[in-house]
Amino acid sequence: MTKSSEAFAKSVRAIAIEMVYESKSSHIGSALSIADIISVLYDRVMRIDTSNPKSSDRDRFILSKGHACSAVYGALFVAGILSKGEIDSFGQSGSPLMTHISHKVKGVEFSTGSLGHGLSFGVGKALSAKLKGLPWRTFVVLGDGELDEGSIWEALMLASHHELANLKIIVDANNLQSLTTVDKTLALEPLVDKFKSFGCRVLEIDGHDHLALETALEDFKGQSPTIVLARTTKGKGVSFMENSVEWHYKSPSLEEKNQALEEIRGLV
Amino acid sequence: MASFDRSIMLLVGDLGFSVVERFQQRFPMQFLNVGVAEQNMMGVAAGLASEGHKVFAYSIGNFSTFRPAEQIRNDIDYHELDVTVVSVGGGFSYGSLGYSHHLIQDFGLMRLFPNMTIYSPADGAETVQCMKVLARTKGPSYLRIGKPTYSLTRGEAIQGEGNWVFLTGNQGSKVAIVSTGTALGHAVSFQANNFGGEAAVFTVPIWGMSSKIKQLKFLSNFSEVHTFEDHISDGGFGSWMLEATSKMKQNPPRIYIHAIDAARTVGVVGDASYLEKIGGLHGDKNETK
């Protein structure tokens, strides 16, 4: 069951590496961190018609940490929504694929780049579905550093107050942000307790375990929004990129790209 | 509107006492108090609008604009969503409450957004006309409401964004007095005190970035234009008009901006007419010439 999403994730990682290398852009560490989350969502959990990504009954996905977009663009390619030509244009002049996620791209709901926006937007969507009695779900991926933004907590309060059980929030908790660890920047733990005190259900899992991811992402029990606190590793899948602030910013050299791809090919 | 268009949602930031209750009681499923959380309010408004709702997001002026400016820019304007940001308290409507409630820099912010249309009606009658336009148009909008200084006998039908609506005076005059929003009373007084009724007075209730070039059509009829606004001159309505004249190939009119000097009013307590006078916005003899 997890074999297909693991293969999906392998492809997403490889494509993200290629995209970031060709465009000489940043944020590969963040993309690799969420590759498994995104793959399980697109391959196993979300109800999307890949031949009609705008179908009205689709599940909605919002990447609030928009700088990790190469993982989502990679997933859209593997799912057959984006073409190779579109992927190859990433970050190039005139391309709709800017190096933060863009709603001008097929299959993308919302542009983000400034942190702290995606969850409020997702709450609006989830609220709409609830008001209209529609069954589609809303998934929002946040970063843990992003939790510094006050607007996130405003959105959580509103979501739990209005019992938006159709909203699934996934926190990519890799404990790294711009300059150092999350713990040293602005200590957030105990996150599980914080989220619960804001009226949310919390499922804490290994964010690279596909079985755990699928179980948690499909779990919509109860009356509250659910937060999947996914403990992850920044740069996961490439040994020299893992747990490194530097790889938030760096673009790989040709040699580094080839080494990364070799490691990814070796992933089970 | 809400009874005919069930997609309409009114969001409030925990404000609107004695104003919003009737709407809430009549349309409970179309009303949402998001609490004192304006950034979230605008993000939620964008999310709702992305699913087909026509959203009005309401608060006191600076709270609905400066606080969530990034959400208005990135989430509403750049996604071209059907959200109307509603500000109450235009100008010095809440004068004695202090500068946190003085809405005198909002045009400068909201007119920076490429898809934003500004609705600044002079009074209740013009507000009704603005709402008729809002009902039939989609897209990011800014509705600014304040205390009227002049009552229009009836709101003139508004033909479109950027149009000048003639109010009073001599339409053939080479001098125009152009007001937006609740500064209209000063514009009318100014005309009487300085031109004896011979200048032409206009109101411009709907304007924005996309209708700046249209101003050339109106400006070309005049050699002298006085603009009025309960806002500072920097980045305001008069500045917008002045910028339009830079596109005129020949004979641009001389523009005189009648606005508020913010430096004179920070920390000063008083009602709207007192603060406007202190701030240099009045219809007395011309100070700008």
Side-chain angles (χ1 to χ4, degrees), chain A residues 37 170-171 173 192 202-217 227-232:
Chain A
I37 295 166
I170 304 106
V171 178
V192 172
V202 186
L203 303 170
E204 186 176 12
I205 59 164
D206 173 354
H208 301 297
D209 178 336
H210 283 227
L211 185 56
L213 276 167
E214 187 171 349
T215 305
L217 292 170
I227 297 180
V228 174
L229 181 54
R231 300 290 182 184
T232 55

Side-chain angles (χ1 to χ4, degrees), chain B:
Chain B
M1 272 167 68
S3 58
F4 297 114
D5 183 352
R6 292 299 186 168
S7 78
I8 285 177
M9 291 284 300
L10 173 63
L11 273 53
V12 303
D14 200 38
L15 284 168
F17 180 72
S18 80
V19 171
V20 301
E21 288 89 339
R22 226 164 40 113
F23 185 97
Q24 181 182 10
Q25 276 156 20
R26 199 166 156 206
F27 308 106
M29 301 306 287
Q30 292 172 257
F31 176 85
L32 182 68
N33 181 355
V34 303
V36 190
E38 295 82 9
Q39 291 178 63
N40 186 49
M41 179 164 73
M42 296 307 171
V44 169
L48 284 165
S50 76
E51 294 296 337
H53 298 272
K54 187 174 184 69
V55 185
F56 291 81
Y58 167 110
S59 188
I60 284 177
N62 294 314
F63 315 155
S64 53
T65 52
F66 285 97
R67 194 67 166 263
E70 200 180 55
Q71 278 81 0
I72 293 170
R73 176 185 183 273
N74 292 4
D75 306 345
I76 294 171
D77 192 84
Y78 276 61
H79 285 78
E80 299 175 72
L81 291 170
D82 192 8
V83 176
T84 298
V85 175
V86 183
S87 282
V88 292
F92 291 121
S93 301
Y94 294 122
S96 64
L97 294 179
Y99 64 79
S100 58
H101 288 59
H102 295 171
L103 189 61
I104 56 172
Q105 289 114 337
D106 54 314
F107 288 154
L109 174 67
M110 300 305 277
R111 76 176 185 90
L112 292 176
F113 305 136
N115 300 298
M116 185 67 66
T117 304
I118 296 173
Y119 293 76
S120 52
D123 71 341
E126 207 165 57
T127 303
V128 170
Q129 296 304 322
C130 284
M131 291 302 289
K132 286 180 182 172
V133 177
L134 277 166
R136 62 175 188 262
T137 55
K138 285 185 184 297
S141 303
Y142 176 54
L143 176 61
R144 182 199 209 242
I145 300 171
K147 280 198 181 135
T149 53
Y150 187 85
S151 284
L152 297 161
T153 49
R154 61 185 172 88
E156 295 296 325
I158 300 165
Q159 300 304 319
E161 184 182 337
N163 281 349
W164 295 20
V165 182
F166 177 72
L167 180 62
T168 186
N170 177 5
Q171 265 189 296
S173 171
K174 282 298 180 189
V175 179
I177 298 166
V178 189
S179 170
T180 192
T182 43
L184 181 57
H186 300 300
V188 173
S189 298
F190 181 79
Q191 194 244 36
N193 291 330
N194 291 274
F195 297 97
E198 281 306 302
V201 180
F202 299 88
T203 169
V204 181
I206 307 179
W207 55 287
M209 190 185 286
S210 61
S211 58
K212 192 193 296 184
I213 202 72
K214 196 185 205 181
Q215 302 312 296
L216 272 59
K217 179 176 91 167
F218 299 98
L219 289 164
S220 60
N221 296 318
F222 302 96
S223 57
E224 182 175 323
V225 175
H226 294 261
T227 65
F228 276 79
E229 61 198 292
D230 50 356
H231 186 276
I232 63 174
S233 61
D234 300 75
F237 175 68
S239 294
W240 175 77
M241 205 67 80
L242 193 58
E243 287 160 24
T245 64
S246 71
K247 300 290 184 193
M248 291 181 79
K249 290 193 168 58
Q250 54 191 16
N251 302 324
R254 178 80 162 87
I255 304 282
Y256 296 91
I257 298 173
H258 300 258
I260 290 163
D261 181 348
R264 295 196 223 167
T265 63
V266 173
V268 178
V269 176
D271 63 17
S273 61
Y274 176 78
L275 287 165
E276 282 165 358
K277 194 91 179 178
I278 296 279
L281 177 66
H282 53 78
D284 298 348
K285 282 292 179 188
N286 197 353
E287 280 183 8
T288 63
K289 281 193 168 175

